[in-house]
Amino acid sequence: MQASGAPIVELAAVSKRYRGADDPRPALDDVDLTIHRGEIFGVIGESGAGKSTLLQVLSGLVVPDAGRVTVAGRDVGALGRRGLRELRRDIGVVFQGIHLLSSRTVRDNVRLALQLSPRSERPSRAAQAPAVDEMLEFVGLGHRGGHYPAQLSGGERQRVGLARALVARPALLLCDEPTSSLDTTTTADVLRVLARARDELGSTVIVITHDLDVVKALCDRAALLERGAVRELFTVARSDYRSMPSYREQVRRELM
Amino acid sequence: MQASGAPIVELAAVSKRYRGADDPRPALDDVDLTIHRGEIFGVIGESGAGKSTLLQVLSGLVVPDAGRVTVAGRDVGALGRRGLRELRRDIGVVFQGIHLLSSRTVRDNVRLALQLSPRSERPSRAAQAPAVDEMLEFVGLGHRGGHYPAQLSGGERQRVGLARALVARPALLLCDEPTSSLDTTTTADVLRVLARARDELGSTVIVITHDLDVVKALCDRAALLERGAVRELFTVARSDYRSMPSYREQVRRELM
Amino acid sequence: GCGAQQADAPGASDGAAAEPTTIQVAAVTSPMTDVVEAAGEAIGDGFEIELVEVSDYVTANTLLNDGEIDANFSQHVPYMEGFNAANDGTLTGVQPVYNFVIAFYSKTLDDIADLPTGGTVAIPDDASNTGRALKLLASEGVIELDPAVDPYEATVDDIASNPKELEFLQIPISSLNTAYEEADLVFQWPSHISALGLNPEDDGLITELDDTFALHVVVREEDADSEATAALIEAFTSDEVREVIESNETIEVAF
Amino acid sequence: MEWITELLAQHGDAMLEALAETGYMLVVSLLAAVLVGLPLGMTVFLTARGGLAEHRPVWSVANMYINIVRSFPFLLLVVFLIPFTRAVMGTSFGTQAATLPLCFVAVAIYARLVEQILREIPPGISLVARTMGATVPQAVLRVLLPEARSGLVYALTSASISLLSYSTVLGVVGGGGIGDFAMRYGYQEYNDALMYITIAVIVVCVLALQGIGHRISVRLDRR
Amino acid sequence: MEWITELLAQHGDAMLEALAETGYMLVVSLLAAVLVGLPLGMTVFLTARGGLAEHRPVWSVANMYINIVRSFPFLLLVVFLIPFTRAVMGTSFGTQAATLPLCFVAVAIYARLVEQILREIPPGISLVARTMGATVPQAVLRVLLPEARSGLVYALTSASISLLSYSTVLGVVGGGGIGDFAMRYGYQEYNDALMYITIAVIVVCVLALQGIGHRISVRLDRR
Ligand SMILES: Nc1ncnc2c1ncn2[C@@H]1O[C@H](COP(=O)(O)OP(=O)(O)OP(=O)(O)O)[C@@H](O)[C@H]1O
Ligand SMILES: Nc1ncnc2c1ncn2[C@@H]1O[C@H](COP(=O)(O)OP(=O)(O)OP(=O)(O)O)[C@@H](O)[C@H]1O
Ligand SMILES: [Mg+2]
Ligand SMILES: [Mg+2]
């Protein structure tokens, strides 16, 4: 499905070179890109191509050297501290490094996102617990809610990060390698959640991934970054995440 | 190629249940497994299946509740502090969480492994720098040697962790999701390094991965873990990592 | 105190050498230090005085008793005796040098009889000055002390009768001037109270001059008759020292 | 061991009173540390360059307060504050009044420790607060404080031990307390046995304090 | 402002000398902090439960030393140590001798700070040392110290400021120094102007110290 909505993300001639790096290559090099409301957009590219930088520019965490970044109609570079804060409350982010709070249980890590969501959209205290539990079930961690992050496996942590980003049902979802440590069964579960966020809530989703199966299963369009520049823009003939094989099925097919 | 050497890793009836977890399921459940010298062995399984636990048991980081773990002829459970240290010096580990030293440059992070390797096998100071640089070239980070970890992308960090584990050319290499954040080009580069470690140095390699392509390209055998138990043991009809398509090639083929 | 083993006195008493013999004399604060310095200028050939400034009276005695220094000039004899008794000390006062009038002062009162019931009285927090202050109050009938106790060693616990229900605030000598601003009655030395422009003759509500409390040159007993001690005594009774004492309104010559 | 019971019969009450005075000074100054020092330390952390609420002027003032108070040798601070103490408390002497300078130091010491601990939180944690659009109070209450709590408790133990040591010199303004007790009755009046017993009491109290702090801190650490 | 020049003409030399004495005491005691306190703090960290070199008896002794020295009222510690100081230094008074008790405290203070900082290193870092089979010295020298260096420098600044404050009390044994100078000439002899000037000098020195420590520490932080 090609996106039909108005633009929600626009980058115009955005460039970024990290200071202090003895490497002269830019992390972003004159990037022009428009992403539409309701779209699921993939960002692919080799390691170090600038994918994470692109995402950080969108939420104002990295300030580009040149160019203009517009998100939901707001010029990110022109936002003050307060404006940035409001923008960020509308955006869910899944970090590549995950960064769970070690002092909170899994359940409380996820609830944090609800507690910080804009007051107008914040569910009542009573409604938070079921929302959190539902999201944990979704990522297959219903039985781990009371654990602390240090007690989780790598993939479990990644799924907590996902649940945290999703639970507040943000209008724009930025995911940096959300399934990198997940097997296909769990990946399919995650993709299902992302697709539902778009279909049922109208969220726009931007997914960084190196896994082309994910792009094929989920995305409407995708951009290939190379050395900070958009090398190619694809419209994906989307296959259906529902048809992704279960891990056991896949193992049987491929290894037996 | 089926492994032919003597056993280097043997697990007999190994079980582990984490204390403090309110979940009654064991992380390892009566595991019997033998891995032979010179083998490349894959460990696969869904998230939370017990893969990382298995690896940690091998280097004595997690003490099993029951069963016997033998590595390189040594009973891991019976080793004292000193014996464990010596064992660990023969083992290279790539962590799922990576854990680079933030105060050291990329180059010095990798050199650390040389500095800690057993004195008898430690290259001279003069020989260390070229060995490190060679390994960084290998993982495609020749130009990043002087950077600090905080200045790297996710995949770059993962590759530094790999270089660190490989540079001392250990007899046994334990890799926990070494390519989870890498595109296929870089993955193929990494697999090439692992295969060379086995072919040229006779290292035994145990790889945890959720990526079946990696298993097919690299491993001689693989174990499928499910809820802590070995569900299935495969002998892999190995395809050749050299035939893994480059990322751009793969993108062209799958998305265009 | 602390355990006192006898250490070698650094060549104090054998005055035969060609090099002048250094006599180390501890003192705590001005005007004691000024007197020691004046004595240093006056001392005879073959000796010189080195001033050791310490900020604690006990330490001044400990150092002397342990043989680390040769003399001190920081106390009166009752204080010294207290030290000797408690520490098996062998100190002896060999020469009184100056004396001074201690007094109670008040910012608000002109007569000790006006002392209000429940008033605050600031007195020193060290043993010998506490006794001295209480003894002075008792001698004026403000309080009564337990007759079984040596008045020089009395503490606030030995007050037998306190008809005005006075509250006693015990603080270091150096803080008593500050208390002058707040308390109804304050004990103080003349050398300190002068900083507030006061003196015992004009401003003291009750005063005491007791030769028992003259400040002494103190040495170890075994050195009492040494040549160095003789030289010290001569120096501390010299015209230079007399001049320093006389130029200071708060103290008077005691030799 | 009879001399001990004898000694305690004679001085036990005074010692208990001194302990109570120290307890009072510690409790009040630790309260100040938590109520004022903790927010102050957070402020320095948050308003520093690159902080969540970067703000040079505020940072300068807060940081300067901490530095100046900490740089005063405590004895001099007590003396320096006498006029202020008198203005605020009506008197500059006695246990209550002596607690005021102790509070100033408590605030400064703990604020610096808090800042130091917050600086050790992995930067990714601040990042989480930032990307979630947390307001500064939210970041503090929901993210930073919980993450740092184990260290904060340990630092409070540390601070209280420093304060106990500082309180010893409050005899200057008649503050009393167990340290001053050891000085006056033990040292100045040559009652060595009493001095050692008092010191032993102090050491035991500190060990207990440290033990409790350590235990709570370990329990709060979930990493 | 003429009175200032006059005051300085009169007391300037004595003040400089006092500063030099303080400088001496600080340099020597900081040296002790680094040479002894740092290893001691590492020892407590390493030998604690779950540490890289868990060892209850060693931990108890080291931890106890730190707690006891820190909890001793400093003045009493100085006095308590007089016989020891005399045995070691030949004399127990004067600047050099006074530095010995200061060193004891310096070691204890810095050791505790070091331990606190090491506890904040992410556990994954110790894990790296462990899986690489590092010996304890290797883990310390190659992994833990470099990772903690920024915090360690900052803590050293912190410690030196505390020590400056402690050094004020060393007048008891004729230690001299700028703090004692301020007390002696300023407070006890009621020369307020001199006291305030001296305090200002101290504060400026400390601010400089703190500034330098902060700068180095930030530069060393690569996270
Ligand atoms: N320290 C711990 N305390 C309690 N439970 C733990 C701890 N570490 C791991 N577990 C649990 O043990 C199980 C196995 O964990 P392990 O890390 O071995 O999984 P894994 O197969 O490596 O998964 P992944 O692919 O997600 O990394 C998980 O369910 C996890 O929640
Ligand atoms: N803080 C920084 N300072 C200096 N260089 C940086 C910094 N962050 C990233 N870089 C560099 O910028 C380039 C782009 O980084 P980015 O994190 O965007 O890559 P990426 O496409 O996300 O890679 P990966 O797939 O490995 O995560 C990389 O070469 C990286 O080394
Ligand atoms: Mg990235
Ligand atoms: Mg794992």
Side-chain angles (χ1 to χ4, degrees), chain B residues 73-127:
Chain B
R74 289 171 275 195
D75 178 349
V76 176
L79 290 175
R81 200 177 280 175
R82 191 197 174 89
L84 265 181
R85 198 156 65 220
E86 274 161 15
L87 174 67
R88 287 172 184 163
R89 294 191 166 202
D90 294 338
I91 302 179
V93 178
V94 181
F95 298 93
Q96 195 166 11
I98 311 179
H99 307 311
L100 300 180
L101 305 193
S102 65
S103 60
R104 288 178 168 238
T105 59
V106 165
R107 200 173 282 122
D108 289 344
N109 261 285
V110 175
R111 187 157 60 203
L112 180 63
L114 288 182
Q115 292 169 331
L116 297 186
S117 60
R119 193 157 305 176
S120 55
E121 298 159 35
R122 191 182 306 166
S124 70
R125 270 185 150 260

Side-chain angles (χ1 to χ4, degrees), chain D:
Chain D
M1 298 314 279
E2 208 165 294
W3 59 271
I4 288 197
T5 35
E6 204 172 295
L7 214 61
L8 287 182
Q10 201 185 335
H11 295 281
D13 286 353
M15 203 155 142
L16 280 183
E17 196 185 322
L19 267 178
E21 284 162 356
T22 296
Y24 174 85
M25 294 193 275
L26 280 196
V27 167
V28 173
S29 59
L30 285 177
L31 229 70
V34 172
L35 295 181
V36 185
L38 182 60
L40 186 66
M42 301 248 29
T43 304
V44 171
F45 174 74
L46 291 168
T47 58
R49 189 173 319 190
L52 274 176
E54 186 169 340
H55 194 294
R56 284 307 275 189
V58 170
W59 181 84
S60 298
V61 170
N63 197 45
M64 193 68 94
Y65 169 83
I66 298 176
N67 282 333
I68 289 185
V69 170
R70 282 193 358 122
S71 62
F72 258 92
F74 182 55
L75 204 48
L76 291 174
L77 181 70
V78 173
V79 167
F80 183 82
L81 284 179
I82 283 176
F84 177 77
T85 307
R86 190 179 297 145
V88 173
M89 314 276 295
T91 171
S92 57
F93 290 98
T95 306
Q96 288 198 356
T99 306
L100 191 74
L102 202 59
C103 288
F104 274 79
V105 184
V107 166
I109 295 184
Y110 193 53
R112 181 62 77 214
L113 287 174
V114 166
E115 186 218 355
Q116 238 157 313
I117 284 162
L118 292 174
R119 281 158 57 116
E120 304 290 331
I121 295 181
I125 298 299
S126 284
L127 194 66
V128 168
R130 202 177 279 230
T131 40
M132 283 185 168
T135 59
V136 172
Q138 284 175 329
V140 167
L141 293 176
R142 301 213 183 266
V143 179
L144 296 175
L145 283 186
E147 281 298 293
R149 61 189 186 186
S150 158
L152 292 177
V153 167
Y154 201 57
L156 196 65
T157 317
S158 217
S160 65
I161 291 170
S162 297
L163 291 173
L164 181 70
S165 169
Y166 279 106
S167 74
T168 322
V169 291
L170 289 174
V172 177
V173 290
I178 189 74
D180 189 46
F181 179 86
M183 292 288 302
R184 293 228 335 250
Y185 296 94
Y187 179 59
Q188 301 280 359
E189 298 187 11
Y190 317 113
N191 194 336
D192 281 3
L194 187 59
M195 178 168 100
Y196 290 126
I197 290 184
T198 312
I199 290 180
V201 168
I202 297 177
V203 168
V204 167
C205 289
V206 166
L207 293 186
L209 219 67
Q210 174 82 23
I212 294 169
H214 184 79
R215 202 148 304 187
I216 298 180
S217 152
V218 166
R219 173 157 312 178
L220 289 177
D221 189 357
R222 295 300 193 159
R223 296 174 308 173

